[in-house]
Amino acid sequence: MEEILSSEKSVMEYLEILFLSQRSYEQRIEILEKKYGIMFKEESEMRKMCTFSDTIWEKGIEKGEEKGISIGREEGQKQVVKIGFNEGIRRSVMNLMKNHVTSNIEEAMDLLGVETSLRPAILKSIQIHE
């Protein structure tokens, strides 16, 4: 608090104290009175401004959490689809080998047209299930 009181006055700092600060109502009043010489006759008006800024802050946090949850769900769904897709390829490769169409995993993936970028994950999955 002493750091704020001893620093230079600025409009941005004043607005930050009013609307963005996570300081208590009493601390805000003290800073505005001591540093900016603002005396509050109507305490309820200042309290409303502080309550308003706290509400805005909380709404911003809520929106951020909602956005994060939404992104997390989308990413999770993509992973489920990818895992399901890889599992399907793994089973197809295993069926080709089981039915003696080929005895080579790489050849089975060639027959299925498995993309090069997916092959390491499929190979790893096959090794885990053996």
Side-chain angles (χ1 to χ4, degrees):
M1 173 99 97
E2 291 302 318
E3 184 179 312
I4 288 177
L5 292 175
S6 63
S7 66
E8 238 180 86
K9 294 179 186 178
S10 80
V11 173
M12 293 307 291
E13 180 187 59
Y14 173 77
L15 293 172
E16 186 272 331
I17 291 166
L18 282 177
F19 298 112
L20 300 176
S21 178
Q22 292 300 297
R23 296 179 182 279
S24 71
Y25 168 76
E26 290 76 18
Q27 287 177 326
R28 291 181 198 187
I29 292 290
E30 183 180 348
I31 292 168
L32 293 173
E33 286 178 349
K34 287 182 178 177
K35 184 168 184 174
Y36 291 92
I38 299 171
M39 302 307 289
F40 294 93
K41 294 176 186 171
E42 293 284 330
E43 183 177 324
S44 63
E45 290 302 311
M46 178 60 185
R47 192 168 293 281
K48 283 181 191 176
M49 287 190 327
C50 290
T51 302
F52 176 70
S53 69
D54 291 342
T55 302
I56 289 172
W57 187 264
E58 288 168 15
K59 292 257 186 221
I61 290 171
E62 286 174 20
K63 281 197 174 260
E65 288 173 345
E66 288 170 8
K67 179 95 174 176
I69 289 168
S70 174
I71 290 170
R73 281 190 183 130
E74 288 174 16
E75 289 300 314
Q77 288 172 349
K78 287 178 187 175
Q79 288 299 317
V80 167
V81 168
K82 182 179 176 183
I83 289 168
F85 181 72
N86 286 354
E87 179 61 16
I89 293 173
R90 184 193 70 78
R91 286 183 181 168
S92 295
V93 167
M94 296 304 291
N95 283 334
L96 286 174
M97 293 172 64
K98 179 181 167 187
N99 293 319
H100 305 290
V101 174
T102 182
S103 60
N104 182 300
I105 294 173
E106 288 294 329
E107 189 178 327
M109 287 193 278
D110 287 341
L111 290 170
L112 293 169
V114 176
E115 292 180 30
T116 307
S117 62
L118 297 175
R119 291 180 181 222
I122 304 301
L123 189 56
K124 184 177 180 181
S125 176
I126 289 171
Q127 291 169 345
I128 290 171
H129 284 88
E130 287 184 333

